[in-house]
Amino acid sequence: MAILFALLIGVLTAIGVYLSLRAQTFPVVMGLTLLSYAVNLFLFGTGRLASNAAAVIEPHATYTDPLPQALVLTAIVIAFAMTAFVIVLALKTRAELGSDHVDGAADQPAPPTAAHKNTSC
Amino acid sequence: MSSLIAIVLLPFFGAPFVAWLGARWRPAAAGVAVLITLACLLLLGIAAWGADLSHAQVVSFSWIPLIGLDFAFRLDGLSLLFSGIILIIGLLIVIYAQYYLATEDSTARFFASLMLFMGAMLGIVLSENLIQLVIFWELTSLSSFLLISFWQHRQEARTGARMALTLTGLGGLALLGGVLLLGHVVGSYNLSVVLNAGEVVKASPLYLPILILILLGVFTKSAQFPFHFWLPNAMAAPTPVSAYLHSATMVKAGIFLLARFFPLLAGTEAWVILVGGAGLITFLLGAYTALFKHDLKGLLAYSTLSHLGLITLLMGFGTPLALVAGLFHLINHATFKASLFMVAGIVDHETGTRDMRRLGGLARHMPRTTLLAIIAASAMAGVPLLNGFLSKEMFFTEALDVSAGWGLPLLVTLGAVFSVAYSIRFIHDTFFGEPSPDLPTHIHEPPLMMRIPVMILVVACLAVGLAPALLVGGILNLSVSAALNAPAPIFSLALWHGFNTPLIMSMLAMFGGLVVYLARRPLTRWHEQSLGRLNAKTPYNFVLRALQLGSETLTHAFDQGRLQPMVFWTLTTTLAAGLIGFLHFSAAPLFGSDPQATPFDGITALGIIIMMGLALSIAFIHAQRLIALLVLSVIGLGVSLLFVRYSAPDLALTQLSVEVVTLILMLLALRYLPQTSPPDRAKRRRLDAFLASLIGAGAATLTYAMMSRDFASIAGYFLENSLSQGGGHNVVNVILVDFRGYDTFGEISVLALAALGIYALLQGIKLPPLTPPPIATARLAHPMLLQTASQLLLPMTLLFGAYILLRGHNAPGGGFIAGLIVASAILLQLITYGLPADGRALSAKAHGAIALGLLLALGTGLASIVLGYPFLTSTFTHIRLPLIGDVEVASAMMFDFGVFFVVMGTAILMLNRIIHLQAEEPHTVTTKEPH
């Protein structure tokens, strides 16, 4: 099961990375969401995968590791706040610059000033 | 002894007061500065009076006891000598500056900076702890920067200040390195320990690095060759600053350090070569160049270099008697050079120029100042009966003593020849001879208060010259024995030592100086065509420009103002770092045998495979944003199912409610963004896909490597103590609100900040939606069925939220989940019933909820402090309620309430703000109908 779990994390990470390299803001936000899924699952995995072992104290029960769960719980909520912030940033970018490109302007080869400086230095 | 701390801190705490008062009433700045200086002098007197200074008096407080650092001060002969010079000359400078500064100069800023400098300088000389000494050392560089650039509108002031800061700052870093190495070798940063470890340090293989690093600090601060050139450029400062910082005190900090570390570092060959060599070159270079400077302050600056070089050379000799001569000359130089700078300031003040080619004949207009200047300049030249003569004789004696041949005495005499020549030039070209015709004619004596400080210093020159043993013998003896960390050698300070070689050298210097002065015109012509063209500033500027260009090039290579390449390179670097880790890993097989392997389960495996397929599909359909978003949220649901499957009910609940709120948020935002993305170039896509698959493979390998190994957890502690100490059955929740409550407190603060940030970002935003709502939706904006259902749902959801919140401590649930559930209930109302005309009311309530939540959480923490426990210690008790029975009440539940309010407020504030963007657009206003 661990192999499948690890593969899932690998796929989520790969797609997350791929999307976060896109040129528009919305795919980047989706990519970050996928990455946060992957990270949360990874953290969760550090406590191993146990069935029917919720960390709620009861007589005669086996328990899974509660610490990664506590870490992941706050991570989920923080990731939500981050997603919200980034998407609002994307909205703000569109409002201020009129474009949803990550650089705030349509895709150009390279700004001429930077290219000029590169060759002159 | 504790008054030592007051001496150092008083100027620091006084400085803001000086600035505050001086800004309101101009003369107050100098007045307060004088009072502070006097108070420090008084405190120094009290500290020194009763104390036995034959060994150091130390007062210390614990600073970082874990690594043996103390906040510690010491008073011994050496620090007494230096703090005396700093305070006495400081007092005179403050008085002088009050009359020197023009009415448009800000006295508040000037005197406040001066007080900062004085405090920092006192800190250096009174420090017992070496780290603390370096901190004060840096503070003098900073305050010197402020003072050199006092006339900020002048280009040369800004350049000079920057150059001084660059060099002394770099030196300060080197010094810190040296001190850290020293502390490492000795095992302590306290001078009392370090000074007794001379043998250990000299025997250590780190001796040479320590010496070189400390000397870099010393040479930059005391403007020794090859770092000398900042000092002449620092002359752009107001003259009182030049007199105080750049001749009497700050540049002596380097000398102080040489004397301080004398028993530790002196006496080796490296010391003699490095210290002596730099001193000799600076001595000669300064004396030679001073003659050809036409600016009065320029001449004095190079003369200061030369005298600093002289003292450094004496230190370099490394003998106890040379140390005596060096410290004696240091006192003398401080008196005559400060007074000469003040004279230069007076001339500038009265005539408007400092150019000796234009000046002349001032003796007729200001005879008293002329007399003072002549005495001070004679002391500088080393004329008998004055203090400069005595220390120069001692210098000659030492030079003769240490050298075998005639080379060194000859060079030393040559330096003295030039110093006589420039002293004559200073007096003759300024006060005698013919003035330039364009000079103003109505020149008169300066105000008395400007002359009095000069007078006091000149009288000191004379008095010390006549009765040296009586006036400075005692303090010199004390300071030398403190510097040596041993009894001082027997020395005699007398006017007449008989007709000996040093006297002959003095006479040679006098005569030679006169000759050189008379031949100055052809010499100047020759100098300006040959050596005068060399300038240490040129390589400095070259290095600086090269550094700047280099860093710009490097920055531009990576940062072209485009996000995609930057993300790409960041990820590539991460991948490379991870790869290096993998390749270097050889301790054990990468994958373990997995003794506690989770048994295979077909349904879960199918679910995981579906999730992978969905995730992969997003890579291809992400341009169709709405569909991609829906697929994404299905994956989110899958994640929460995984949490359910593997015993994490709390996580599943949280993930589910977060998923709902996130989906609503992204759907709302998507209305204002294009519905599709333009396709990328194929090459870019392939490259990105390649990098992404490598990183994905890395993540999968890492995960499996981690999960297949032996598993040892600290979970036992939490499972055992959750019920007995945290009073809750739900261990995850107890960890959140109790064991790691402090972390959770930080996390809810982050949430609150994010919500406020979003609120602020969207304030006043103008954003027309890209897609007008379809007509059908406008008509069906608030469908009846949904309205009815949500009316029923609201009380139930709220009740459920309350239930989840209350049971959180003992069963899956808690503040995070309850907050999200309640928020989504309220959002459902917003969606079904349309928006209130003014969204601000709800926002204000959400603000209130966030504040209430934070206060509740903080209050719970503070309550435990009030009760005498550490922050956020929790307690619990059992209450027997009628009907319900035994109820466990933990104070951590209060904390969970705080979490609940923050999470709920945050979610509502964020979404309400985005929903409200719609209300501002004309389309939806029409759809608002009465319900």
Side-chain angles (χ1 to χ4, degrees), chain B residues 38-320:
Chain B
L38 280 175
C40 287
L41 262 175
L42 189 71
L43 286 170
L44 183 67
I46 293 171
W49 192 256
D52 169 24
L53 288 179
S54 58
H55 52 266
Q57 304 289 316
V58 174
V59 51
S60 71
F61 298 89
S62 223
W63 180 15
I64 311 175
L66 224 63
I67 49 172
L69 278 187
D70 290 332
F71 194 58
F73 294 94
R74 80 188 255 135
L75 185 66
D76 58 12
L78 194 64
S79 42
L80 180 65
L81 171 70
F82 273 86
S83 38
I85 292 178
I86 293 161
L87 286 170
I88 292 170
I89 298 200
L91 183 65
L92 301 176
I93 291 289
V94 170
I95 296 169
Y96 174 84
Q98 166 65 15
Y99 294 89
Y100 172 85
L101 290 176
T103 40
E104 66 267 20
D105 296 332
S106 159
T107 53
R109 185 156 63 86
F110 183 85
F111 287 111
S113 313
L114 204 68
M115 285 300 110
L116 284 183
F117 167 75
M118 197 164 86
M121 199 64 211
L122 288 167
I124 292 180
V125 300
L126 290 171
S127 276
E128 154 81 3
N129 181 318
L130 286 174
I131 304 276
Q132 178 194 329
L133 185 149
V134 177
I135 293 172
F136 282 119
W137 181 277
E138 292 291 292
L139 281 177
T140 60
S141 297
L142 290 177
S143 46
S144 152
F145 173 81
L146 292 178
L147 285 165
I148 298 173
S149 63
F150 178 70
W151 286 318
Q152 293 155 346
H153 52 279
R154 296 190 187 170
Q155 169 69 38
E156 78 265 21
R158 298 198 299 268
T159 320
R162 216 160 41 222
M163 188 186 286
L165 186 67
T166 309
L167 280 169
T168 53
L170 280 176
L173 279 180
L175 177 66
L176 178 62
V179 162
L180 289 177
L181 280 183
L182 192 61
H184 172 71
V185 169
V186 178
S188 167
Y189 291 107
N190 287 346
L191 271 173
S192 310
V193 181
V194 172
L195 288 182
N196 288 320
E199 294 312 312
V200 180
V201 174
K202 279 177 208 165
S204 156
L206 285 174
Y207 170 76
L208 201 61
I210 292 175
L211 180 70
I212 289 174
L213 286 172
I214 289 181
L215 287 184
L216 277 175
V218 166
F219 289 171
T220 47
K221 201 73 156 183
S222 285
Q224 294 300 297
F225 181 83
F227 309 108
H228 59 285
F229 54 92
W230 71 262
L231 186 61
N233 284 295
M235 290 299 139
T239 304
V241 173
S242 309
Y244 190 37
L245 273 69
H246 305 125
S247 92
T249 56
M250 190 182 91
V251 288
K252 303 274 170 65
I255 311 274
F256 168 79
L257 218 56
L258 287 180
R260 185 90 278 180
F261 287 144
F262 201 80
L264 211 57
L265 302 173
T268 62
E269 202 177 331
W271 168 278
V272 173
I273 292 170
L274 290 172
V275 180
L280 183 65
I281 296 174
T282 316
F283 171 57
L284 292 172
L285 182 83
Y288 168 79
T289 317
L291 180 64
F292 305 111
K293 289 287 148 186
H294 302 302
D295 177 13
L296 280 177
K297 277 178 81 177
L299 185 151
L300 291 177
Y302 277 97
S303 149
T304 302
L305 280 183
S306 161
H307 284 271
L308 289 170
L310 188 158
I311 302 171
T312 308
L313 177 57
L314 276 168
M315 296 285 164
F317 290 163
T319 61

Side-chain angles (χ1 to χ4, degrees), chain A:
Chain A
M1 222 49 225
I3 294 186
L4 266 179
F5 192 77
L7 279 178
L8 174 65
I9 288 174
V11 170
L12 290 178
T13 311
I15 307 301
V17 166
Y18 179 74
L19 287 185
S20 62
L21 281 162
R22 295 305 91 211
Q24 272 74 32
T25 49
F26 198 79
V28 172
V29 178
M30 289 199 291
L32 291 177
T33 310
L34 276 173
L35 273 178
S36 71
Y37 289 155
V39 171
N40 288 343
L41 284 177
F42 175 80
L43 284 178
F44 177 64
T46 60
R48 301 306 148 88
L49 308 173
S51 306
N52 299 321
V56 177
I57 307 287
E58 285 161 355
H60 320 296
T62 53
Y63 305 114
T64 184
D65 191 343
L67 190 62
Q69 295 197 13
L71 293 173
V72 172
L73 201 150
T74 47
I76 293 172
V77 181
I78 294 276
F80 158 65
M82 185 202 67
T83 309
F85 197 88
V86 178
I87 195 88
V88 166
L89 218 51
L91 290 183
K92 182 83 174 173
T93 313
R94 223 217 97 209
E96 299 279 319
L97 304 168
S99 158
D100 76 331
H101 193 276
V102 285
D103 299 335
D107 205 4
Q108 288 163 0
T113 48
H116 171 71
K117 271 179 189 161
N118 268 340
T119 49
S120 71
C121 297

Side-chain angles (χ1 to χ4, degrees), chain A residues 22 48 50 65 74 94 103, chain B residues 563 647 672 680 688 713 747:
Chain A
R22 295 305 91 211
R48 301 306 148 88
D65 191 343
T74 47
R94 223 217 97 209
D103 299 335
Chain B
L563 186 68
S647 318
Y672 301 92
D680 279 307
D688 289 349
S713 162
E747 278 146 5

